[in-house]
Amino acid sequence: MNQTIQGSRLALRDVEKHFGDFCALKQIDLTVEPGELVCFLGPSGCGKTTLLRIIAGLEQQSAGTLQQGETDISHKPPRERDFGIVFQSYALFPNMTVSDNIAYGLRSIGMPRQAIRERVEALLTMVGLTDQTRKYPAQLSGGQQQRVALARALAPSPGLLLLDEPLSALDAQVRQHLRGEIRQLQKQLGVTTIMVTHDQEEALSMADRVVVMNNGVIEQVGTPLEIYQQPASAFVAAFIGAMNFLDGAALDSHRVRVGNHDFSVQTPVAEADRLCLAIRPEDVHLLPVGQGDWDGRVLAMDYLGAFIRTRVQLEGLEPTLLVDVDPRSARQLGLAPGADVCISLPAEALHCFAA
Amino acid sequence: MLESSLKVAPLSPAVQRRRTFRRPGLFTVLLGAGCGVLFLLVLAPLYSLLSKAVENRDGEFVGLANFTHYLQMGGIESAFFNSLWVSALSMVIVVSLAFMAAWAITRTRLPWTGWIRGALVLPILAPSLLPGISLVYLFGNQGILNSWMMGADIYGPIGIVMGSCFWTFPHALMILLTAMENADGRHYEAATALKASGWRTFWTVTVPGARYGLVSAAFVVFTLVITDFGVPKVIGGQFDVLATDIYKQVIGQQHFEMGAVVSILLLLPALLAFAADRIVQRKQSASLSARSAPYKPPHNPGRDWLGAAMLTPTLVFIVAIIGMAIYASLVTFWPYNLNLSFSNYRFDLMDGGGWGAYTNSLLMALGTMVLGTALVFFNAWLMERTPQSKTMAGFFQFFALLPLAVPGLVLGLAYIFFFNHPDNPLNGLYGTLLILILCTVTHFYAVSHLTAVTALKQLDKEFEAVGESLKASRWRVLFTVTLPLCLPAILDVALYLFVNAMTTVSAVVFLYGPHTQLASVAVMSMDEAGDIAPAAAMAVMIMLTCAGAKLLQGALRAWLDRATRAWRRGA
Amino acid sequence: MTLLKSLRHSLALGLCALAVTAHAETELTVYTAVEAEDLQKYAQRFNEDHPDIKINWVRDSTGVVTARLLAEKNNPHADVIWGLAGTSLLLLKGEGMLQPYAPKGLDKLSPKFRDKDATPSWVGMDAWMAAICVNTIESDKLGLPMPTSWQDLTKPVYRDHVVMPNPNSSGTGFLDVSAWLQMMGENAGWQYMDDLHQNIARYTHSGSKPCKMAAAGETPIGVSFAFRGARLKQKGAPLEVVFPKEGLGWEVEATAIVKGTKKMDAAKTLVDWSISHKAMEMYNEGYAIVGMPGVAQPIEYFPANADELIIDNDFGWAASHRDAILAEWQRRYDGKSEAAE
């Protein structure tokens, strides 16, 4: 498909949503740049779908403004906004063929018949369904239905594409494949895209930026790398990837005590009585006995393909520590359940959060 | 490209705040109009009759004096208690039988289910007098199965329960079939994988899956039985129920104010049942799964035989009643001259309007079907598929279901008081075919409404949202997507309204005019005159017409099914 | 060719129909409780004399027609009531719904068959009287003797073999109760009903039902009214219509003009005709007693001395005591629910 779309900029200012006494969204401030793919990521009930529906105009915000490009769309009905949407259920019209589904939005805007035919053909080529035009949604596989929904949403060349859990109804392999396909298509077209998902892997692998939400507020906005490497809160740290949490206390701005061991940290900490030290399993160093900071014993080992997730019981500490280790190092260390090991926690990999 | 022309100057905060309270949209206004229509058709007439409960004969306000008087008359406790237990017993029997039948139809591989289904809904096609005649011919003192009664009397609670079960069975069956046809095959696969026995699967998958249908069916049957006076009047003997008390007060003694008192008392259990149903149904929306695989019963002859065994008694009972009625229409003089002839079908010689009444009935039924289906479906669509406030939708739901709890007799009289009032600008309607149509639509609104709402709820809730994003109005989505998808349900509602309009008596008996006599009323007056055979003949004629309509509808559905097989089943 | 012919045919027919409608200038809406099978006959005979008035019937049972008329009180639709129970007309008169009118030939009417006012609100047609329907086949099977009096019905031999209408639901039922109380006096009357109650198998909601049940063999004995018994016998039911010797309750069937009718002249014409000699002869085809003395000829299944058998019914007394009588009846007998038996 040679035609690109002029993706639009979207700015949300102080958006709030209340359902009676319940506050579903609090003070949402967010700017999405033209052509960007942004993922709303969070557990169910965090408000991400509500926010998407407010952007679409399907829900009315209780307060705040929305601006798309130069236009204030805060109070425009959905039909006067410029977006395409794909729902989790796809909501394909079951009584229409694939091409009729795709042509639906083009007929609404009164595009000439011939032009519609050409555009539908182009879209079908784009999503790779040229041989399925006369079929009905029920005759397609889940992945094919998903592509039709995408083609239908993109048909009127919207400046904004909204995807509400678009892949969650598909099986793993199709999902993997479609992730790449959607991302490629989106880049190629340059359409600004917002995708709602509860799948962190999906968010991290597809998004330019990820918006992590919890309890109606934005916890962190950042590139996948930032989100993973510099989580802004314990919630983000826990929600994205695996993370060990150890309760401790600050000794001074760069030293933290956990159990009866002291550790250095790189980012200065406030001198609070209690805080929470976090480290990702792959950042923990596993060493032969006597070479590390803290002795422990291997409790269990899970082989997860490229690495082994090891559960280690540290001396004098109740919670166990997860350590990811590559198979070769494991062999060298002679790791086995029951084996004694030693660990060290590198300062640059330690995160501190208020307890 | 359009962006520049759509540029809007930023609004001041004050203006913004004001604009968040949007003016009522077109759809709110339309549902408001729908509420208004139902207010005119249901609440206003009811008020004009029921308000007499607190007035004396001269129309002066007397507070609760009529209630005290009625309660002191005695017999009320027994009538109230009788009503409750007869309705509850009928409810239990009908719901159990209907559930067994629905199970046998949807969960076994029995052949000819199309015909079985047709036979099982026959009672809804027949005027209510028909089971009365048949039950007497079967179980009365001269009845061919009188010995089965073992000395008990058909005139009384046994007769009422049998008659009520007969005519309410199809209502329960329709609701339960709808609930059970949409079973998720994956639940059954899961149960099989977990090595659950057939019995355990039944209790852990089948019953919970149908529980909302069961509750709805129970509510509908209970309300139908407790408000019906047709069966108790014909076969109840002196067994007192609240509904016949209304008959005694209004028809026997012309005490409208007392009739209003009993009507209000009769509303109470019905309203309780209604509330219970609403509470249970509220939880339903949460448990609807997004996608499911249709269930295909595996090969299992034992289960099929069980299904057949569960269907047979009901089937035999229904066919026996209908068969007896057909026989009754042919016999010369029961039980003393059993020669058969078709002479009773010469309606041109009959009193009560004859073929003219039949034509009127047909016109009335067609009018009810067209007007009713349009009104019911459009309102249900407004309620389900357009943005509406909870309060408004709640009001509408209440108005729509209220008629179920109102006995036809009360509705008919209420229509006279309201529509015939000289100050009512609509009083020109009185005495026309249109008022019969409106009254009948109202009388049968609730079940039609429930069917339409169920169908609309089953559609993907995002169709309108997708339409909006594709710049299509809700109207366009309605005509290009919603209506085509709901056609089967629309056909069901149309048939339901048609057959009920053909057979109804209780409300229209007060409203027909000199040019709008009805066949169903003719059946009643012929029976009243002792012309049982001609009455049965006209009743059979009505039933055949309804059966014809049902066949036509079945053919349409089959055609629709074939034409849309590709997109419905993916085959 | 045939199509054209049938077209011409239907056109001619249509014109004829048009001519007929054009001829019948006034249409009267007439409410009635007269048997449906007789309506055509009534209208035909009337139209023989008055072809310019078309009758549009609204027919139903007495209770329904009365309830309907009362409910329509604010905006009546009936022009004339032809053939409704006197008790109902008394009620409607009390509500001020009837137009007093002295029809031609009023003086020829028996005084029992008219409203007592100088200008009567209603005028009588015929008498509709109580009777007992006895099924001969079932009686023989059970070895029951043929009853000849009301008192006979209280004999133990008839236990659970008698069906009668509930006076709370049925005018016929009230007619019987009121007649017993008038004939026997209040105390003896209630005592009689106490005894009768022992033999009653059930009370029905409709006045004709006991006779229909007797005709169909559902009960050997049904307390009902004579007209229904005679008609059913005519149709082949194995019935004996018994007229108890103590006397019979009866009710006048009458005609009245509804106040406010816009077709007063036609209404008056109809009421005039309804008490004419010709009309009385017509009523006599189904009823043994008619409003004009000397007209009635004995008819099949009715006793020749029918007018001697009917009691001197005091309709005023019956109407004013109706509520009290019904309440007492309900108190005494309506508690008889099947469950308690």
Side-chain angles (χ1 to χ4, degrees):
Chain A
M1 179 128 152
N2 43 22
Q3 189 181 350
T4 53
I5 298 169
Q6 188 56 54
S8 45
R9 185 170 185 274
L10 183 74
L12 313 181
R13 291 291 162 257
D14 291 326
V15 171
E16 302 219 347
K17 178 70 183 176
H18 307 273
F19 294 107
D21 289 339
F22 174 67
C23 184
L25 290 173
K26 258 182 292 212
Q27 292 211 311
I28 301 294
D29 260 296
L30 181 71
T31 307
V32 183
E33 297 300 333
E36 203 181 11
L37 194 157
V38 167
C39 273
F40 292 175
L41 177 66
S44 55
C46 72
K48 56 189 192 294
T49 297
T50 308
L51 187 56
L52 189 85
R53 293 181 72 88
I54 286 174
I55 293 169
L58 300 170
E59 300 266 4
Q60 180 75 16
Q61 70 276 20
S62 311
T65 60
L66 293 88
Q67 190 163 342
Q68 186 174 358
E70 298 296 314
T71 318
D72 182 333
I73 57 163
S74 310
H75 302 283
K76 283 194 184 297
R79 240 177 344 134
E80 292 171 25
R81 301 186 184 195
D82 173 32
F83 70 94
I85 189 162
V86 175
F87 287 103
Q88 183 175 6
S89 64
Y90 314 142
L92 291 174
F93 302 134
N95 56 328
M96 295 181 197
T97 60
V98 167
S99 40
D100 283 340
N101 262 288
I102 297 174
Y104 198 82
L106 303 174
R107 296 206 174 109
S108 306
I109 54 176
M111 189 184 265
R113 206 173 273 266
Q114 182 60 30
I116 291 181
R117 241 199 4 242
E118 284 166 12
R119 176 120 183 98
V120 169
E121 249 166 56
L123 283 156
L124 283 166
T125 318
M126 183 181 84
V127 295
L129 289 174
T130 34
D131 48 344
Q132 314 284 344
T133 49
R134 318 274 342 139
K135 286 198 176 166
Y136 289 99
Q139 298 167 313
L140 303 177
S141 71
Q144 289 173 322
Q145 291 182 13
Q146 216 279 341
R147 286 173 226 221
V148 177
L150 197 63
R152 181 178 67 177
L154 289 170
S157 307
L160 181 64
L161 177 64
L162 304 176
L163 307 171
D164 183 7
E165 306 256 9
L167 301 173
S168 64
L170 300 170
D171 53 51
Q173 227 169 355
V174 182
R175 199 168 354 172
Q176 201 85 26
H177 181 70
L178 273 171
R179 265 186 213 163
E181 220 171 86
I182 291 177
R183 177 61 171 154
Q184 198 194 345
L185 201 65
Q186 186 267 338
K187 269 191 175 157
Q188 184 189 327
L189 294 175
V191 59
T192 312
T193 303
I194 295 175
M195 181 168 110
V196 162
T197 180
H198 63 269
D199 181 340
Q200 40 157 316
E201 209 181 305
E202 202 167 287
L204 296 181
S205 67
M206 290 175 74
D208 291 312
R209 283 194 299 153
V210 177
V211 176
V212 184
M213 295 180 66
N214 187 34
N215 285 332
V217 296
I218 294 179
E219 294 267 345
Q220 188 173 6
V221 183
T223 64
L225 208 64
E226 283 167 356
I227 298 279
Y228 190 79
Q229 294 190 334
Q230 293 144 38
S233 65
F235 171 79
V236 177
F239 192 72
I240 314 276
M243 186 69 94
N244 292 298
F245 287 97
L246 304 170
D247 287 334
L251 299 173
D252 60 42
S253 65
H254 283 92
R255 287 168 55 76
V256 176
R257 164 159 290 187
V258 178
N260 48 8
H261 293 255
D262 295 350
F263 296 95
S264 309
V265 291
Q266 267 191 341
T267 36
V269 291
E271 278 187 49
D273 266 357
R274 300 183 49 72
L275 50 71
C276 187
L277 208 60
I279 185 162
R280 298 218 178 262
E282 69 266 27
D283 291 334
V284 181
H285 288 185
L286 212 51
L287 303 162
V289 181
Q291 291 183 18
D293 304 332
W294 200 336
D295 293 335
R297 171 170 293 173
V298 175
L299 288 182
M301 294 168 67
D302 292 331
Y303 292 86
L304 297 178
F307 61 90
I308 300 165
R309 181 152 291 176
T310 314
R311 188 176 290 275
V312 177
Q313 181 79 62
L314 294 177
E315 243 168 47
L317 195 73
E318 209 200 316
T320 57
L321 197 69
L322 295 180
V323 184
D324 289 350
V325 57
D326 63 283
R328 195 171 352 152
S329 315
R331 266 199 309 279
Q332 284 168 357
L333 284 166
L335 279 192
D340 288 328
V341 287
C342 205
I343 60 139
S344 80
L345 306 178
E348 68 274 14
L350 283 172
H351 308 274
C352 281
F353 302 107
Chain B
M1 40 177 176
L2 279 175
E3 262 176 21
S4 56
S5 60
L6 285 172
K7 208 178 288 174
V8 177
L11 295 165
S12 72
V15 176
Q16 283 175 21
R17 196 152 314 120
R18 206 156 6 98
R19 284 193 54 185
T20 45
F21 298 97
R22 277 200 270 180
R23 275 179 303 139
L26 172 66
F27 296 112
T28 316
V29 173
L30 281 175
L31 189 64
C35 280
V37 168
L38 284 196
F39 178 84
L40 274 183
L41 291 180
V42 184
L43 218 59
L46 276 185
Y47 175 77
S48 65
L49 175 64
L50 297 187
S51 61
K52 296 194 183 299
V54 291
E55 291 172 2
N56 64 12
R57 278 225 125 141
D58 302 323
E60 291 151 354
F61 181 79
V62 292
L64 295 179
N66 289 326
F67 285 86
T68 347
H69 179 64
Y70 179 70
L71 294 178
Q72 282 166 350
M73 278 193 326
I76 162 73
E77 300 90 348
S78 74
F80 197 77
F81 179 71
N82 286 345
S83 273
L84 284 184
W85 80 257
V86 163
S87 311
L89 180 64
S90 307
M91 175 186 95
V92 170
I93 296 175
V94 168
V95 172
S96 325
L97 289 177
F99 183 68
M100 290 199 282
W103 180 84
I105 289 171
T106 59
R107 299 289 188 273
T108 71
R109 285 186 168 187
L110 285 177
W112 313 308
T113 42
W115 290 104
I116 293 172
R117 288 171 80 141
L120 288 176
V121 297
L122 272 178
I124 216 173
L125 311 181
S128 62
L129 202 76
L130 216 150
I133 296 172
S134 292
L135 282 176
V136 169
Y137 282 18
L138 282 171
F139 301 109
N141 294 338
Q142 301 296 325
I144 53 175
L145 302 176
N146 177 253
S147 56
W148 291 20
M149 298 293 291
M150 291 185 290
D153 200 351
I154 188 75
Y155 301 94
I158 300 177
I160 298 179
V161 170
M162 281 169 105
S164 302
C165 285
F166 176 80
W167 79 272
T168 57
F169 180 82
H171 289 88
L173 182 72
M174 276 161 60
I175 294 171
L176 285 172
L177 276 178
T178 316
M180 294 181 65
E181 265 168 343
N182 298 324
D184 189 343
R186 292 176 305 182
H187 292 155
Y188 284 88
E189 285 159 17
T192 316
L194 292 167
K195 312 242 182 306
S197 63
W199 184 241
R200 184 139 174 263
T201 308
F202 173 79
W203 283 108
T204 52
V205 179
T206 309
V207 173
R211 67 185 182 279
Y212 298 108
L214 284 170
V215 172
S216 263
F219 159 66
V220 166
V221 171
F222 181 85
T223 317
L224 285 177
V225 175
I226 205 167
T227 57
D228 171 58
F229 75 91
V231 172
K233 187 198 153 223
V234 172
I235 206 156
Q238 75 264 29
F239 185 77
D240 265 326
V241 291
L242 285 179
T244 48
D245 249 25
I246 299 187
Y247 182 86
K248 276 197 259 180
Q249 293 296 340
V250 172
I251 306 299
Q253 300 165 42
Q254 286 85 40
H255 288 164
F256 292 136
E257 67 285 354
M258 299 312 271
V261 167
V262 193
S263 303
I264 289 173
L265 292 177
L266 196 54
L267 278 178
L268 294 180
L271 284 180
L272 278 181
F274 170 76
D277 180 58
R278 285 297 98 195
I279 289 166
V280 176
Q281 300 292 354
R282 195 172 302 152
K283 296 178 186 156
Q284 182 179 22
S285 44
S287 71
L288 275 175
S289 77
R291 230 192 303 232
S292 51
Y295 172 69
K296 295 223 173 56
H299 181 68
N300 180 349
R303 180 210 50 210
D304 292 356
W305 280 110
L306 181 67
M310 295 207 296
L311 268 176
T312 308
T314 314
L315 212 53
V316 167
F317 179 65
I318 288 174
V319 170
I321 297 266
I322 301 282
M324 199 60 197
I326 294 174
Y327 174 69
S329 72
L330 298 175
V331 83
T332 309
F333 198 98
W334 172 270
Y336 303 109
N337 181 352
L338 300 180
N339 292 330
L340 301 183
S341 82
F342 277 100
S343 64
N344 295 319
Y345 283 85
R346 301 191 56 191
F347 299 119
D348 45 340
L349 301 180
M350 263 354 128
D351 41 86
W355 285 113
Y358 178 78
T359 318
N360 283 338
S361 271
L362 213 53
L363 275 178
M364 200 271 271
L366 287 171
T368 304
M369 181 181 85
V370 172
L371 194 76
T373 311
L375 190 70
V376 165
F377 197 82
F378 185 62
N379 280 334
W381 175 76
L382 282 173
M383 197 184 100
E384 263 326 299
R385 310 293 300 192
T386 64
Q388 301 292 351
S389 76
K390 276 220 167 72
T391 331
M392 181 83 121
F395 264 118
F396 186 81
Q397 182 83 353
F398 176 73
F399 284 163
L401 295 185
L402 184 62
L404 192 62
V406 179
L409 173 107
V410 173
L411 192 69
L413 274 174
Y415 265 52
I416 300 186
F417 283 117
F418 182 70
F419 282 101
N420 189 43
H421 199 280
D423 297 336
N424 188 330
L426 296 174
N427 68 23
L429 289 179
Y430 189 76
T432 63
L433 199 62
L434 186 58
I435 192 117
L436 292 172
I437 292 174
L438 290 177
C439 180
T440 311
V441 169
T442 309
H443 195 173
F444 299 103
Y445 199 95
V447 173
S448 318
H449 172 75
L450 286 175
T451 313
V453 166
T454 310
L456 286 165
K457 266 193 204 298
Q458 281 169 354
L459 302 187
D460 193 306
K461 62 182 193 301
E462 309 291 8
F463 280 153
E464 279 79 9
V466 165
E468 295 269 324
S469 80
L470 297 172
K471 314 275 180 279
S473 63
R474 274 170 203 276
W475 301 103
R476 183 159 167 238
V477 176
L478 170 65
F479 288 111
T480 57
V481 181
T482 315
L483 279 180
L485 290 181
C486 287
L487 261 184
I490 292 174
L491 284 177
D492 283 351
V493 169
L495 180 76
Y496 176 83
L497 288 172
F498 180 88
V499 300
N500 277 298
M502 281 303 289
T503 58
T504 187
V505 174
S506 55
V508 292
V509 75
F510 293 97
L511 297 170
Y512 71 87
H515 303 295
T516 54
Q517 285 130 332
L518 298 173
S520 52
V521 176
V523 170
M524 186 113 131
S525 59
M526 283 190 271
D527 177 69
E528 194 81 7
D531 297 328
I532 299 177
M538 183 63 110
V540 168
M541 198 62 215
I542 291 173
M543 193 179 72
L544 287 177
T545 309
C546 293
K550 167 89 189 151
L551 283 177
L552 187 68
Q553 190 245 18
L556 269 175
R557 274 199 76 150
W559 170 80
L560 198 67
D561 211 45
R562 256 203 315 282
T564 62
R565 186 184 296 268
W567 57 266
R568 275 187 202 281
R569 306 209 184 128
Chain C
M1 183 59 200
T2 32
L3 182 76
L4 264 180
K5 210 182 223 167
S6 59
L7 247 177
R8 203 170 53 208
H9 225 79
S10 46
L11 197 69
L13 263 172
L15 281 176
C16 271
L18 207 67
V20 170
T21 16
H23 191 60
E25 271 167 35
T26 321
E27 295 195 11
L28 281 179
T29 300
V30 180
Y31 279 31
T32 183
V34 166
E35 295 307 323
E37 56 199 285
D38 285 342
L39 290 184
Q40 247 175 343
K41 179 173 84 181
Y42 279 31
Q44 242 166 33
R45 299 276 172 88
F46 171 70
N47 283 140
E48 284 169 11
D49 294 343
H50 301 280
D52 53 336
I53 299 174
K54 182 164 182 276
I55 294 179
N56 293 323
W57 296 108
V58 172
R59 194 214 87 91
D60 224 299
S61 63
T62 309
V64 171
V65 171
T66 313
R68 211 174 146 161
L69 278 161
L70 279 171
E72 290 176 353
K73 181 182 165 188
N74 284 326
N75 190 10
H77 285 259
D79 297 306
V80 175
I81 301 164
W82 185 12
L84 189 63
T87 323
S88 295
L89 288 168
L90 215 57
L91 191 68
L92 298 173
K93 183 188 169 194
E95 296 283 331
M97 290 178 66
L98 302 183
Q99 174 69 49
Y101 168 62
K104 277 179 213 140
L106 178 63
D107 50 326
K108 290 185 197 142
L109 224 50
S110 149
K112 279 185 194 171
F113 281 80
R114 52 166 290 187
D115 182 19
K116 296 287 177 281
D117 292 355
T119 311
S121 289
W122 53 266
V123 286
M125 300 149 59
D126 48 56
W128 177 64
M129 57 203 213
I132 302 172
C133 298
V134 181
N135 184 310
T136 49
I137 296 178
E138 302 305 318
S139 292
D140 287 349
K141 268 192 218 161
L142 294 163
L144 302 180
M146 185 62 62
T148 57
S149 67
W150 293 117
Q151 215 61 51
D152 280 353
L153 292 184
T154 61
K155 289 180 181 160
V157 65
Y158 296 113
R159 179 152 214 156
D160 283 344
H161 291 318
V162 184
V163 171
M164 77 167 275
N166 182 333
N168 277 297
S169 315
S170 148
T172 311
F174 180 69
L175 188 102
D176 294 324
V177 171
S178 142
W180 293 328
L181 291 174
Q182 289 184 55
M183 276 189 298
M184 305 176 192
E186 290 227 19
N187 288 335
W190 286 114
Q191 181 57 51
Y192 170 74
M193 283 184 263
D194 284 349
D195 297 340
L196 182 62
H197 184 66
Q198 300 302 317
N199 287 350
I200 297 284
R202 68 188 61 90
Y203 297 100
T204 65
H205 291 293
S206 139
S208 58
K209 185 89 181 254
C211 199
K212 277 153 50 190
M213 288 175 74
E218 286 297 303
T219 181
I221 298 169
V223 177
S224 189
F225 55 95
F227 176 83
R228 178 56 53 224
R231 279 290 161 97
L232 284 168
K233 194 167 175 178
Q234 205 175 18
K235 283 173 187 167
L239 284 183
E240 194 59 55
V241 187
V242 174
F243 298 86
K245 59 186 179 206
E246 295 100 323
L248 302 171
W250 63 284
E251 169 79 283
V252 58
E253 262 195 314
T255 311
I257 299 175
V258 177
K259 198 177 263 178
T261 172
K262 294 186 186 73
K263 294 156 184 167
M264 189 54 88
D265 289 342
K268 284 178 176 170
T269 310
L270 176 57
V271 175
D272 288 346
W273 192 86
S274 81
I275 60 164
S276 67
H277 195 272
K278 184 171 175 179
M280 292 294 162
E281 282 175 348
M282 177 178 78
Y283 304 145
N284 189 218
E285 288 165 23
Y287 295 85
I289 303 167
V290 296
M292 194 183 287
V295 175
Q297 300 296 315
I299 54 168
E300 211 183 357
Y301 311 130
F302 280 87
N305 63 341
D307 50 345
E308 291 163 27
L309 275 172
I310 60 173
I311 63 164
D312 187 13
N313 203 347
D314 185 345
F315 294 109
W317 179 88
S320 58
H321 289 77
R322 188 166 179 225
D323 283 354
I325 293 170
L326 289 179
E328 177 65 12
W329 193 92
Q330 170 135 341
R331 192 185 65 75
R332 284 177 184 246
Y333 313 120
D334 221 10
K336 183 181 181 178
S337 75
E338 314 263 318
E341 266 180 321

